[in-house]
Amino acid sequence: MGPSVERRQPIRTVRLSHRGGMVHAEERRGWHRHWREPYRFMLAIPWPGFLLSIAASYLLLNLAFTLLYALDLDGIGGAPDGQRLSVLDAFFFSVQTLGSIGYGVLHPSSLWVNLVVTVEAFFGLLFIAVTTGLAFARFSRSRARLRFSRVATIEPWQGHPTLTFRVANVRQNSLVDGRIRASLAMNEESGGRRMRRLVSLPLVRDQSISFQLMWTVMHRVDQHSPLFGLSQEELERRQAEILVAFQGLDEILLAPVHFRCSYGAADLRLGEQFRDMVQIDGPDSVFLDFSCFDVTDPLDPPPLPQAPGHGEGDSRSPDPPAPHPWG
């Protein structure tokens, strides 16, 4: 026997988007690559595309059986006396057969037409079952409607520069056991080879028992942070990108929800802080002003370091400010 031939996967290309340099892997082949996984494709496309695909499949299926009926138009009974059925009549006969309508006017009267009707009835059952399952799968999916802030800031918090961005729950239902993970992706060169490195960013608080309104996500930039010592220019040169992933449980549908976002080097605001959203409207009324959700203000002058809140009566001194992480 000759040497075995290894079957490799299709070659993929990598491109960078204009916003944030997000990396995408794509096959070099055309649109037909999606039909390798039709179930995934039908769940991923938008609703207008889904409905158009179902309508096109329904039309093509009827046209295919119309051509089969056209081979023996005389085998379709029920035509008025002295009138021969046309191809259009055969098309509508196919529609009635595929949908199991059966008005009782046109009916098969030859062996060939009876065989075609049998096959089409079988395909009609499959078509209805598949389309019903796809529609139910799309309706039953739970999707999070989260709003991430347009930018992320590097602002002082408890005496340390802190990467900060905001997340808001757009829907009124609560997301149970919400979790957020953040990672830093950037290009590196080692031994003359260029690679894309992905490093986890530990968060001050990475989970919430019940996520209802807003979440301020923070990562402390200290000597243990991958961002420590990197300037804005260095991050842009290495095409740095902060990848954020959220997962939780919809309390109504009891189904997991996922969401992701990214911040490029151009989306980082050094020396700025988010505007406070908490507004007091009377002695017993506090509300969140979401018009300030993406608004940042310059730090002038920068706030003094504060103690990390050890509790009432604690006399420990505040943490000393960390070195500037941006060179």
Side-chain angles (χ1 to χ4, degrees):
M1 296 179 62
S4 60
V5 179
E6 180 183 0
R7 184 172 182 177
R8 299 181 180 273
Q9 295 294 329
I11 299 177
R12 292 191 172 189
T13 59
V14 176
R15 66 179 176 89
L16 299 177
S17 63
H18 295 288
R19 183 187 183 279
M22 179 174 286
V23 176
H24 299 272
E26 291 185 338
E27 294 184 5
R28 290 184 178 178
R29 302 188 179 185
W31 60 269
H32 61 276
R33 69 182 186 274
H34 297 292
W35 293 103
R36 294 176 180 175
E37 298 181 79
Y39 178 75
R40 183 178 180 182
F41 172 72
M42 295 300 289
L43 293 182
I45 59 176
W47 271 104
F50 173 78
L51 296 178
L52 288 176
S53 299
I54 296 298
S57 302
Y58 181 77
L59 179 61
L60 291 177
L61 190 59
N62 279 289
L63 288 177
F65 282 100
T66 300
L67 295 179
L68 296 178
Y69 289 130
L71 298 178
D72 186 13
L73 291 177
D74 295 332
I76 302 177
D81 296 336
Q83 182 177 350
R84 191 172 186 271
L85 295 181
S86 63
V87 177
L88 185 61
D89 295 325
F91 173 80
F92 290 118
F93 177 70
S94 173
V95 171
Q96 298 173 23
T97 304
L98 189 65
S100 300
I101 299 175
Y103 289 118
V105 178
L106 299 180
H107 56 274
S109 60
S110 67
L111 178 61
W112 171 253
V113 175
N114 274 286
L115 292 176
V116 176
V117 166
T118 302
V119 175
E120 186 173 13
F122 174 74
F123 275 94
L125 293 176
L126 292 181
F127 183 81
I128 294 175
V130 170
T131 54
T132 303
L134 290 174
F136 176 78
R138 292 179 64 94
F139 272 111
S140 60
R141 282 190 307 172
S142 178
R143 290 186 177 181
R145 292 190 58 187
L146 302 182
R147 176 183 175 185
F148 282 77
S149 56
R150 298 179 182 271
V151 297
T153 63
I154 303 293
E155 57 184 77
W157 182 74
Q158 294 185 353
H160 291 269
T162 304
L163 171 70
T164 306
F165 57 91
R166 289 171 168 173
V167 187
N169 186 7
V170 178
R171 288 177 175 165
Q172 297 181 357
N173 62 308
S174 175
L175 298 177
V176 182
D177 194 21
R179 298 176 183 269
I180 288 184
R181 294 180 298 170
S183 301
L184 173 65
M186 58 184 176
N187 298 334
E188 281 191 357
E189 293 185 3
S190 176
R193 300 178 60 184
R194 190 174 183 181
M195 63 185 66
R196 188 78 173 173
R197 184 186 177 193
L198 187 66
V199 187
S200 177
L201 296 177
L203 303 178
V204 175
R205 182 170 65 92
D206 60 358
Q207 60 181 349
S208 176
I209 297 178
S210 179
F211 181 31
Q212 294 181 336
L213 296 176
M214 195 192 71
W215 189 344
T216 301
V217 185
M218 295 180 291
H219 163 72
R220 179 175 292 182
V221 183
D222 53 17
Q223 61 271 19
H224 304 292
S225 172
L227 292 170
F228 187 79
L230 297 178
S231 64
Q232 185 89 22
E233 293 75 14
E234 179 70 10
L235 292 174
E236 294 180 356
R237 185 185 68 83
R238 299 172 66 174
Q239 295 180 330
E241 181 182 18
I242 298 173
L243 306 176
V244 184
F246 172 88
Q247 64 178 3
L249 185 67
D250 192 305
E251 67 172 357
I252 297 178
L253 300 178
L254 297 179
V257 293
H258 304 273
F259 201 90
R260 63 181 180 177
C261 180
S262 66
Y263 296 97
D267 300 321
L268 297 180
R269 297 294 183 265
L270 176 62
E272 298 183 9
Q273 65 179 358
F274 281 105
R275 184 173 298 178
D276 193 3
M277 295 176 55
V278 180
Q279 303 294 331
I280 300 177
D281 187 20
D284 299 324
S285 177
V286 179
F287 67 94
L288 295 178
D289 184 8
F290 276 88
S291 63
C292 306
F293 186 78
D294 299 309
V295 180
T296 59
D297 298 317
L299 288 172
D300 188 23
L304 296 177
Q306 299 178 358
H310 302 289
E312 186 177 357
D314 198 314
S315 59
R316 281 181 285 182
S317 59
D319 296 337
H324 201 288
W326 305 94

